[in-house]
Amino acid sequence: QQPVQSPQAVILREGEDAVINCSSSKALYSVHWYRQKHGEAPVFLMILLKGGEQKGHEKISASFNEKKQQSSLYLTASQLSYSGTYFCGTVPLIQGAQKLVFGQGTRLTINP
Amino acid sequence: DAMVIQNPRYQVTQFGKPVTLSCSQTLNHNVMYWYQQKSSQAPKLLFHYYDKDFNNEADTPDNFQSRRPNTSFCFLDIRSPGLGDAAMYLCATSRVLSGHLYEQYFGPGTRLTVT
C-alpha cells in the first residue's frame, strides 16, 4: 500500500524551512528519500533504517519513527536548488523485501 | 564513473509498433527495476529482477515484458504500444544483501512518445 506524503505541494521563499511527512499503514523496515527535478531522474538523498534514527546532509535531515510508521524530511534554510519533487520510498518489515513503495510525492518550489 | 545508462533517451514509436528500451549498469548491482512515470505522478514499478529471478507487479499489463540476459543489462519490451503507454521509463538498480535493500540508482530515463 502506497505511503501517504504531506503536504502535496509547498511554496517557500529562499531561506525558509520546510517539513515533508511520509506515513505508512504498514510496519516498516526502512524509509528512503529521493528528490526529482523536472525532467530528470530521482536522486537518492538518504535511508533511515532504525526507529528514531535521524540523518542529515548539509541542511537536509530526516527522522524515522518506526512505532508510528512515519518519517519526516526537514529542509532548513532552503536554497533555490532544493526545488523539485520529493518522494519517500518505504520498505515493509518483511523478510527479503526487494522493492520500494513510493509515496505520491511532494512538490517543493523555492522562490527567490 | 559507475552508473546506470539508458538508451535511447527519446523514443518515438507508432501505435502498435513494438519497441525495446535498454538499460545497462556498471554498478554490479543484483537488482534491476523498470518504472513507468507519467507527468506529476510517482514512479510506478512495472517489474524487477533479483539476479535472474523475474518479479512482475500484479497490475503490470501483459503488453510489457522484460529480459535480463546478464547482470549488466536489462531490456523493456512493449509489444503493442498504445497512446496510454506514452511516459518516461526509468531503469534503476540496487543491492539486496543480507536482507537489506540499499539505495536505488536511477538512469536518466527514456521518454517514449506514441503517435
Side-chain angles (χ1 to χ4, degrees):
Chain A
Q1 194 167 0
Q2 186 179 38
V4 176
Q5 290 185 230
S6 62
Q8 292 189 358
V10 60
I11 300 174
L12 299 175
R13 289 196 179 275
E14 195 173 8
E16 292 182 336
D17 301 340
V19 180
I20 300 171
N21 300 301
C22 175
S23 180
S24 174
S25 60
K26 294 188 173 183
L28 299 176
Y29 172 76
S30 65
V31 178
H32 298 212
W33 285 96
Y34 293 80
R35 176 172 63 207
Q36 184 176 28
K37 293 184 178 287
H38 183 69
E40 299 179 8
V43 173
F44 169 75
L45 294 176
M46 62 188 77
I47 292 179
L48 298 120
L49 288 172
K50 303 175 185 176
E53 183 174 34
Q54 296 191 30
K55 282 192 172 180
H57 177 65
E58 295 181 346
K59 294 180 180 177
I60 299 176
S61 61
S63 63
F64 175 29
N65 185 326
E66 65 179 350
K67 291 184 179 179
K68 292 185 177 180
Q69 297 155 193
Q70 293 176 346
S71 178
S72 295
L73 186 71
Y74 307 94
L75 299 102
T76 305
S78 57
Q79 306 169 14
L80 295 176
S81 61
Y82 290 178
S83 291
T85 301
Y86 289 78
F87 294 99
C88 68
T90 56
V91 180
L93 191 63
I94 58 172
Q95 193 169 6
Q98 300 170 0
K99 61 185 182 182
L100 292 175
V101 182
F102 281 104
Q104 81 277 21
T106 296
R107 177 172 289 186
L108 177 65
T109 302
I110 309 294
N111 292 321
Chain B
D1 289 339
M3 58 198 320
V4 182
I5 301 164
Q6 290 187 244
N7 286 302
R9 295 290 310 276
Y10 301 90
Q11 176 74 57
V12 180
T13 190
Q14 293 178 335
F15 183 93
K17 186 174 182 180
V19 65
T20 295
L21 310 181
S22 71
C23 176
S24 64
Q25 57 136 336
T26 60
L27 298 160
N28 203 33
H29 285 172
N30 56 357
V31 190
M32 294 186 77
Y33 307 86
W34 279 106
Y35 291 92
Q36 179 192 64
Q37 187 175 31
K38 296 187 177 182
S39 181
S40 301
Q41 295 183 17
K44 178 182 182 296
L45 184 63
L46 296 173
F47 24 61
H48 75 278
Y49 277 93
Y50 176 69
D51 290 329
K52 295 181 179 180
D53 293 335
F54 177 71
N55 298 270
N56 198 31
E57 293 300 301
D59 58 352
T60 298
D62 292 341
N63 197 27
F64 292 87
Q65 312 231 316
S66 185
R67 297 169 281 136
R68 189 181 187 186
N70 53 53
T71 301
S72 301
F73 286 86
C74 196
F75 300 95
L76 170 61
D77 300 309
I78 308 176
R79 293 193 295 184
S80 182
L83 297 179
D85 297 328
M88 176 72 84
Y89 289 88
L90 295 164
C91 174
T93 71
S94 185
R95 295 172 295 157
V96 174
L97 296 173
S98 302
H100 174 61
L101 175 62
Y102 288 79
E103 64 270 25
Q104 293 191 7
Y105 291 81
F106 286 84
T110 295
R111 171 75 64 187
L112 178 68
T113 301
V114 182
T115 61

